[in-house]
Amino acid sequence: MSNYIAPSQIAQRQLAYFEGKHVLVAGEAEDLFPLELAKHCASMSVFTTNYGYYRQLHGKSALHCYFGAELVDDVHADMVLLYWPKAKLEAEYLLAMLMAKLGENTEIVVVGENRSGVKSIEKMFAEYGPINKYDSARRCSFYWGQCTQAVKPFILDEWFKSYAVQYHHHTLTVRSLPGVFSHGEFDMGSRLLLDTLPPLQGKVLDFGCGAGVLGGVMAMLYPNIALEMCDISALAIRSSQETLAANGLSGRVFASDVYSDTASDYQFIVTNPPFHAGLDTSYNATETLLAKAPTHLQRQGQLVVVANSFLKYPPIIEQAFGNCEALNKTNKFTIYHAHK
């Protein structure tokens, strides 16, 4: 049985499509299939908004790897292999960017799980050219199409959604790109977390910053903190940077795969951690975040985390810190606190 995810397995059945092509992989790819595909095509490039995936592939001699919210580098490609992302608007965003970048006559293969709504590509690609389904297996679909129309320029700024978040007497303008957590709303877990925060001081990390709601409000409430914000998603990083700028706030926003690029001297780690990876539920990153938190905190440093109440985080926090208390609770969320 292949180690590849199901969308890669269906692409693997159709290697003839890729022979002799200069292929650019994008979207929700998460395995090493591009390395195998590189043996069958003229050249292989990968564009990813996921820093963890970038770290996995970066430095492999068989391919060129690019990470960011937008593909700005010059890439030689005549075919895109798009792994259908979980957010439909993110698929539109990637298509608009990549077709503008590569232009007319670019071929495209789209693979994705049927439950993820990959069928939407049929309507979505209509403005670029024809696309049809050529295979289905493992509850996935394989589409091939070609860009036959002139493509309008891609302007990143047009893809931001702006909305206002009210917190007590503060108003935060949030700027968010497609596919970013908190895209267009103030999550109730984040609100409860802000209501429960102990007074902040010193160096504060907003872990998994998304569109920058938590970090932005914390910077407004506590203007003297040294704020750092990290996320695995380039779309989130760009969104948080824009959110800070839109409100005249300062903070360092950077990519990190859990703690790969963070400091180790925070006074506070504050987080509303994600527990969805792709279409499935995943706790691995959050469990690592909680278990390793003490090594990234100063003496007397504190961890404050909001979680869905059904998640079994207290034992992990207790084991890491030797203490864990629930500071606040609703029928849906719990705020956990621990100190080093």
Side-chain angles (χ1 to χ4, degrees), residues 17-280:
Y17 279 88
F18 305 99
E19 294 287 349
K21 297 291 179 186
H22 298 276
V23 179
L24 172 63
V25 172
E28 201 89 8
E30 52 189 76
D31 59 22
L32 296 178
F33 180 63
L35 291 176
E36 179 178 329
L37 196 53
K39 300 169 190 168
H40 300 271
C41 56
S43 71
M44 170 61 59
S45 306
V46 177
F47 168 71
T48 180
T49 60
N50 183 300
Y51 188 58
Y53 191 53
Y54 173 76
R55 290 179 74 230
Q56 204 178 342
L57 293 183
H58 180 58
K60 306 281 189 195
S61 58
L63 47 83
H64 301 283
C65 201
Y66 306 93
F67 168 76
E70 182 181 4
L71 180 57
V72 291
D73 301 83
D74 288 327
V75 175
H76 180 41
D78 53 20
M79 174 182 268
V80 171
L81 169 56
L82 178 66
Y83 285 75
W84 189 255
K86 58 183 177 287
K88 185 176 168 183
L89 198 56
E90 189 178 340
E92 282 181 34
Y93 172 88
L94 288 170
L95 273 182
M97 183 207 317
L98 297 173
M99 292 302 111
K101 184 83 180 163
L102 302 177
E104 277 185 75
N105 301 318
T106 303
E107 294 180 53
I108 184 166
V109 167
V110 180
V111 290
E113 295 186 41
N114 297 331
R115 65 179 177 145
S116 71
V118 66
K119 191 176 191 296
S120 302
I121 191 62
E122 294 172 16
K123 272 188 186 165
M124 195 182 290
F125 199 73
E127 65 181 279
Y128 303 105
I131 194 162
N132 290 289
K133 179 152 73 166
Y134 286 91
D135 195 9
S136 56
R138 302 196 175 281
R139 302 196 179 99
C140 288
S141 296
F142 176 104
Y143 287 86
W144 178 90
Q146 188 163 25
C147 179
T148 56
Q149 306 296 317
V151 185
K152 64 182 187 210
F154 178 79
I155 300 161
L156 181 68
D157 203 53
E158 293 175 354
W159 288 85
F160 282 97
K161 181 172 181 177
S162 292
Y163 61 99
V165 160
Q166 304 290 335
Y167 186 74
H168 297 332
H169 58 281
H170 296 279
T171 302
L172 183 78
T173 300
V174 181
R175 301 262 291 154
S176 179
L177 285 170
V180 176
F181 178 69
S182 196
H183 188 55
E185 59 185 321
F186 191 9
D187 162 65
M188 293 313 296
S190 295
R191 191 178 283 275
L192 185 71
L193 181 55
L194 289 166
D195 287 343
T196 313
L197 275 180
L200 298 180
Q201 59 182 18
K203 195 168 176 179
V204 177
L205 177 66
D206 172 9
F207 182 98
C209 57
V213 176
L214 259 185
V217 174
M218 289 192 298
M220 282 180 160
L221 296 173
Y222 300 98
N224 293 326
I225 61 172
L227 177 67
E228 295 199 354
M229 302 162 71
C230 71
D231 204 288
I232 201 166
S233 160
L235 300 173
I237 291 155
R238 190 60 182 267
S239 298
S240 280
Q241 288 169 336
E242 288 274 329
T243 295
L244 290 181
N247 296 278
L249 300 169
S250 61
R252 176 176 169 251
V253 191
F254 59 96
S256 193
D257 180 5
V258 194
Y259 290 116
S260 68
D261 289 59
T262 64
S264 54
D265 60 345
Y266 297 105
Q267 193 67 45
F268 289 88
I269 296 174
V270 179
T271 181
N272 181 353
F275 64 97
H276 288 284
L279 289 165
D280 302 303

Side-chain angles (χ1 to χ4, degrees), residues 321-333:
F321 285 87
N323 62 89
C324 174
E325 58 177 329
L327 293 183
N328 205 342
K329 191 169 181 159
T330 64
N331 56 4
K332 192 172 180 192
F333 297 106

